[in-house]
Amino acid sequence: MRSPHRTDDPSDRTGDISISAESAEPPQGLVRVSDLPPGVLRDIALVWLADAVVGVSFGAIAVGGGLPVWVPVLMSLLVYAGSAQFSAVGILTAGGGPVAAAATGLLLNSRTAAFSLALADDLGRSWAARLIGAHLVTDETAAFVLAQRGREQRRAAFWISGVGLFVAWNLSVLAGALAGSALGDTDRFGLDAAFPAVLLALVLPALRSDRRARRAAAAGAVIAVVAAPLLPAGVPVLLALLGLLAARRPRPASSRSTS
């Protein structure tokens, strides 16, 4: 005689297991190139190339200005911020002190705080992933991530572009520093325009599909253009963040009347 308190048959429990597995969030493993949409890896590689060209220029300019090779190399590893590094080296080679160079670099690089807030969920959940990822946040990685829609696509875009940019930048800075001032300033070839052009191409899809993004971009551009002749370099970029206020959703009339 079978017991009335029999256990469930394993076949009866498969449905419950599959449901719980589907409702559970999948674990975050290693990123894969296949997670990127078609064409994104090509765009990332182009940014790596542009980053490497500018890195060679930075290393050559720093050493050509009288700094030892280890200064641009160590700065690239620890600071890893192109605009901040260029401004700091410019101040040092012009005779300025390290305090003024560091303060200018911090001011220019403070914009990445806003990027970090936008990308926090795409770095990972562990403290190690967020610590390393925070060091890799740049204008380029933020642009690649924000251009993606799915979580796995955004995560893959961040880590693949971020790690590749870090390696390309540091190797090219080392090469430029070793070459010294023989290469001269590559800005004379117009290569400094590569980054704005690439970033504009990356944000165009968002501008086409999101009206609030267009409002914010237009407002930020107007603020930066008006402030550029009046304020030191880097400050207009920070003020342009005020353009984000134009992207705020207006409060419904009903909620305004009841408050």
Side-chain angles (χ1 to χ4, degrees), residues 51 76-85 108-124 128-146 154-155 157-166 169 199:
D51 197 74
S76 296
L77 288 170
L78 300 181
V79 178
Y80 184 52
S83 59
Q85 292 179 230
L108 288 174
N109 214 37
S110 59
R111 69 187 185 281
T112 57
F115 297 156
S116 299
L117 293 175
L119 306 183
D121 293 337
D122 303 305
L123 305 186
R130 296 205 169 193
L131 181 63
I132 298 173
H135 191 56
L136 301 179
V137 173
T138 63
D139 304 70
E140 296 81 20
T141 55
F144 277 118
V145 172
L146 296 177
R154 290 167 62 94
R155 187 164 171 265
F158 175 80
W159 285 106
I160 292 174
S161 65
V163 173
L165 278 172
F166 184 79
W169 175 258
L199 289 175

Side-chain angles (χ1 to χ4, degrees), residues 40-59:
V40 175
L41 183 60
R42 177 202 58 206
D43 297 337
I44 290 176
L46 292 175
V47 175
W48 290 344
L49 178 60
D51 197 74
V53 171
V54 179
V56 170
S57 173
F58 170 73

Side-chain angles (χ1 to χ4, degrees), residues 240-255:
L241 292 174
L242 295 174
L244 294 173
L245 297 176
R248 295 179 59 185
R249 292 182 182 274
R251 294 176 59 188
S254 58
S255 63

